[in-house]
């Protein structure tokens, strides 16, 4: 006889089987943990990308050579009398006058009795903080470089090192034309110093690290790249700045811009900023310029430069056309002082200087830099474009004077006006017989567009001296007849000479 299965027993068997399965799985998991095999997890995101080089090693090595420069200047009050804070006209008012009482209260000075008083100051020289900038050591015995505008007018100089030590420094020499200065710390210590780089190898796009003292905060490091070379910002006659985009602010002046080898590629000296703060456009004096100037300052306390003795201006397209030049290059001589080396060598106004010792002159500033790099007394060969052909002359350079003085051209009263209708000019004879005086300029004419004004004196036309309107007309006609599209006029205004090219009608 067969018995039927017990439902209760069947459920019990299934439950036991399930428990056994869980136990087996748990044992397997425990065995995995016990054997040291970690469970598989999802990996964190990681991007393999080129890494920007760290500047930490460079900064660590060069920072001890960079210092803050503090400058004090002497000030001297105007008199022994009481100093009054307010318009000087009110100083003579009676003491009980309402306006004088107002300025007393506005100033806020009180005496011991609670009343208002003036501040009394002795007439004596006192030192006060004047400026703050940056600098860097260039020798272990304490010579350091900064900007001339940082130390200008200073009487006391203090440098603060990266470690916080303060030391007095003395001024060795300055060069306002390149805005460089050299200080010296007298100490038995040996200073960490840096060297100048070969800036001829610096390329646009190279990394630079600027170290300095912005806003008086102390040693601060910023980084960027070289943005441009050969910038002319109108700061001086030898502008040839390296433009960088590393953050440079007030107080960075005189500080160095380093390459990744820890060499100084430039001395930070100026920024372009509508707001006064960093906008990513800073200018540094190239290392090659700084090296030459600094060596002269350390040796002599000043810089001696060659002097040619000419006033020059750019060669524009119109001027090049009027002179028959094939390119807008060179430096046009606008005036030659009587006592200068150029005058002795026979260089005259209207000549175009195209080369010096075989080195091409592309612009007036390049000519200035070439001549300045030659020691006074040395002879150079100057290539000229004169009367439609090239000539060479030898010039014994002089020493650049501190300031050039030239005689002014007196402006006579108009008389016997001569109308040069095609040029838009009305001229009259000059009383001293030199040139013709412009008495009127037609608005919208080529002459007006090129800046000629009433009162200017036209001295020559196409290198020919003129003393009457008829001579001007004849010179213009001759230029047109020879096929020239422009006529070159030498124009004097006060003590300045320049050349202006005016287009002429053909046929």
């Amino acid at each position: 006889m067969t018995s039927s299965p017990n439902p209760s027993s069947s459920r019990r068997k299934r439950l036991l089987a399930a428990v056994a399965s869980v136990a087996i799985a748990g044992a397997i998991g425990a065995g995995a943990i016990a054997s040291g095999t970690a469970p598989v997890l999802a990996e964190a995101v990681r991007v393999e990308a080129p890494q920007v080089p760290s500047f930490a090693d460079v900064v660590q090595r060069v920072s001890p050579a960079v210092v803050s420069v503090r400058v004090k200047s002497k000030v001297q009050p105007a008199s022994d009398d009481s100093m009054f804070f307010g318009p000087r006209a009110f100083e003579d008012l009676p003491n009980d006058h309402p306006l004088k009482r107002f300025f007393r209260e506005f100033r806020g000075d009180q005496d011991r009795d609670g009343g208002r008083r003036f501040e009394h100051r002795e007439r004596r020289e006192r030192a006060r903080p004047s400026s703050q900038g940056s600098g860097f050591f260039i020798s272990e015995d304490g010579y350091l470089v900064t900007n001339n505008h940082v130390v200008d007018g200073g009487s006391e100089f203090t440098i603060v090192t990266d470690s916080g030590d303060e030391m007095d420094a003395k001024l060795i020499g300055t060069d306002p034309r390149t805005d460089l200065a050299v200080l010296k710390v007298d100490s038995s210590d040996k200073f960490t110093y840096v060297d100048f780089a070969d800036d001829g190898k610096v390329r646009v796009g190279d990394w630079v690290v600027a170290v300095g003292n912005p806003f008086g905060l102390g040693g601060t490091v910023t980084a960027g790249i070289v943005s441009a070379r050969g910038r002319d910002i109108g700061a001086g006659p030898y502008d040839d700045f390296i433009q960088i985009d590393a953050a440079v602010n007030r107080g960075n002046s005189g500080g160095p811009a380093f390459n990744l080898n820890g060499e100084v590629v430039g001395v930070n000296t100026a920024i372009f900023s509508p707001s006064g703060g960093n906008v990513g456009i800073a200018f540094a004096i190239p290392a090659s310029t700084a090296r030459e100037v600094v060596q002269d300052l350390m040796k002599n306390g000043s810089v001696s430069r060659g002097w040619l003795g000419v006033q020059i201006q750019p060669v524009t397209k119109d001027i090049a056309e009027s002179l028959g030049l094939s390119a807008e290059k060179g430096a046009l001589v606008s005036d030659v002082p009587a006592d200068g080396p150029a005058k002795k060598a026979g260089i005259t106004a209207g000549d175009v200087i195209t080369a010096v010792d075989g080195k091409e002159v592309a612009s007036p500033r390049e000519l200035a830099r070439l001549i300045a790099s030659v020691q006074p007394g040395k002879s150079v060969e100057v290539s000229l474009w004169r009367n439609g052909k090239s000539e060479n002359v030898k010039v014994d350079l002089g020493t650049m004077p501190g300031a050039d003085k030239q005689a002014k051209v007196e402006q006579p009263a108009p008389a016997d006006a001569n109308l040069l209708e095609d040029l838009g000019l009305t001229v009259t004879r000059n009383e001293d017989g030199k040139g013709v005086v412009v008495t009127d300029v037609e608005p919208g004419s080529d002459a007006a567009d090129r800046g000629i004004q009433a009162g200017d004196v036209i001295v020559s036309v196409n290198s020919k001296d003129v003393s009457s309107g008829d001579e001007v007309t004849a010179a213009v006609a001759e230029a047109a007849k020879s096929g020239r599209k422009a006529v070159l006029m030498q124009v004097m205004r006060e003590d300045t000479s320049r050349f202006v090219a005016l287009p002429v009608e053909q046929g």
Side-chain angles (χ1 to χ4, degrees):
M1 181 176 179
T2 304
S3 59
S4 60
N6 188 340
S8 177
S9 176
S10 298
R11 287 195 298 271
R12 187 180 296 112
K13 289 179 179 178
R14 289 195 298 270
L15 179 60
L16 290 174
V19 171
S21 298
V22 172
I24 292 171
I28 293 173
I33 295 174
S35 66
T37 303
V40 177
L41 301 174
E43 292 187 0
V45 174
R46 182 175 180 179
V47 178
E48 296 292 339
Q51 300 297 307
V52 176
S54 172
F55 306 110
D57 291 339
V58 176
V59 173
Q60 184 178 3
R61 296 293 299 274
V62 303
S63 288
V66 183
V67 299
S68 300
V69 179
R70 297 175 182 173
V71 182
K72 293 182 179 180
S73 62
K74 289 182 178 180
V75 295
Q76 186 172 341
S79 67
D80 293 327
D81 300 332
S82 300
M83 301 298 292
F84 184 71
F85 187 82
R88 295 190 60 84
F90 293 126
E91 294 182 20
D92 298 328
L93 294 175
N95 288 334
D96 59 349
H97 194 282
L99 282 175
K100 197 161 188 175
R101 288 202 305 270
F102 166 76
F103 279 105
R104 283 177 172 177
E105 294 172 2
F106 177 75
R107 176 162 188 163
D109 289 338
Q110 293 188 355
D111 58 23
R112 294 181 180 178
D113 298 328
R116 304 294 177 182
R117 64 172 175 80
F118 295 114
E119 177 187 359
H120 294 271
R121 301 177 184 173
E122 293 183 29
R123 180 181 175 85
R124 59 188 177 89
E125 289 188 338
R126 300 183 299 134
R128 71 175 182 187
S130 174
S131 63
Q132 194 162 234
S134 305
F136 56 96
F137 285 111
I138 55 169
S139 69
E140 66 176 6
D141 58 347
Y143 283 97
L144 61 100
V145 177
T146 187
N147 280 144
N148 173 71
H149 76 258
V150 171
V151 302
D152 188 32
S155 60
E156 298 178 21
F157 309 96
T158 303
I159 64 104
V160 184
T161 65
D162 184 58
S163 60
D165 296 333
E166 295 189 10
M167 303 178 184
D168 292 335
K170 63 180 180 180
L171 184 63
I172 299 300
T174 63
D175 183 40
R177 287 185 171 93
T178 56
D179 196 21
L180 288 168
V182 173
L183 297 170
K184 175 71 164 61
V185 176
D186 289 326
S187 173
S188 59
D189 296 339
K190 292 186 177 180
F191 298 97
T192 300
Y193 68 96
V194 291
D195 197 6
F196 290 107
D198 179 2
D199 64 78
K201 298 179 180 179
V202 174
R203 300 177 302 167
V204 174
D206 283 349
W207 283 107
V208 288
V209 179
V211 185
N213 178 36
F215 303 112
L217 294 172
T220 300
V221 180
T222 56
I225 62 171
V226 175
S227 302
R229 297 289 311 265
R231 288 300 197 207
D232 176 6
I233 63 174
Y238 312 118
D239 281 14
D240 186 25
F241 290 104
I242 297 173
Q243 181 182 328
I244 64 176
D245 72 347
V248 172
N249 289 287
R250 298 181 185 275
N252 273 111
S253 291
F258 293 102
N259 61 20
L260 296 188
N261 294 325
E263 299 169 318
V264 179
V265 299
V267 182
N268 300 322
T269 194
I271 63 173
F272 174 80
S273 172
S275 64
N278 170 63
V279 295
I281 301 177
F283 303 99
I285 302 166
S288 55
T289 301
R291 181 189 290 109
E292 293 178 0
V293 171
V294 165
Q295 288 174 349
D296 282 350
L297 292 178
M298 291 172 62
K299 183 178 180 180
N300 305 315
S302 61
V303 179
S304 295
R305 294 185 173 92
W307 180 52
L308 184 59
V310 291
Q311 289 185 7
I312 51 180
Q313 68 181 78
V315 176
T316 65
K317 181 178 180 180
D318 288 340
I319 290 176
E321 172 61 36
S322 68
L323 293 174
L325 282 167
S326 59
E328 303 164 36
K329 293 183 178 180
L332 175 62
V333 178
S334 59
D335 194 21
V336 184
D339 57 347
K343 186 73 172 181
K344 296 176 183 177
I347 296 176
T348 62
D351 290 342
V352 177
I353 298 175
T354 58
V356 175
D357 282 340
K359 297 178 181 178
E360 186 179 89
V361 173
S363 67
R365 290 196 177 275
E366 188 168 347
L367 174 63
R369 288 193 293 268
L370 285 172
I371 295 298
S373 66
V374 182
Q375 288 297 314
K378 289 190 175 181
S379 178
V380 295
E381 185 178 68
V382 177
S383 300
L384 305 172
W385 180 260
R386 175 187 292 171
N387 297 326
K389 61 181 180 179
S390 296
E391 295 183 20
N392 293 325
V393 296
K394 286 284 186 180
V395 182
D396 295 326
L397 298 182
T399 302
M400 180 176 291
D404 297 333
K405 296 183 179 179
Q406 300 173 7
K408 292 186 177 181
V409 178
E410 298 295 331
Q411 308 296 341
D416 302 327
N418 188 315
L419 180 63
L420 302 174
E421 186 173 357
D422 290 341
L423 300 176
L425 294 172
T426 303
V427 299
T428 187
R429 289 180 177 271
N430 194 350
E431 287 184 354
D432 66 3
K434 184 179 181 180
V436 294
V437 179
V438 177
T439 59
D440 189 38
V441 181
E442 181 183 348
S445 65
D446 291 323
D449 291 342
R450 286 157 176 76
I452 296 180
Q453 302 175 2
D456 289 347
V457 177
I458 300 174
V459 178
S460 67
V461 179
N462 280 355
S463 301
K464 293 184 177 180
D465 294 340
V466 295
S467 58
S468 69
D470 291 339
E471 291 181 358
V472 175
T473 301
V476 172
E478 183 179 347
K481 184 179 180 180
S482 63
R484 297 283 175 84
K485 296 180 180 179
V487 62
L488 192 66
M489 294 187 173
Q490 183 181 6
V491 180
M492 296 289 298
R493 181 178 299 168
E494 296 182 349
D495 58 350
T496 302
S497 171
R498 67 188 180 103
F499 283 89
V500 177
L502 294 179
V504 296
E505 295 293 335
Q506 298 298 312

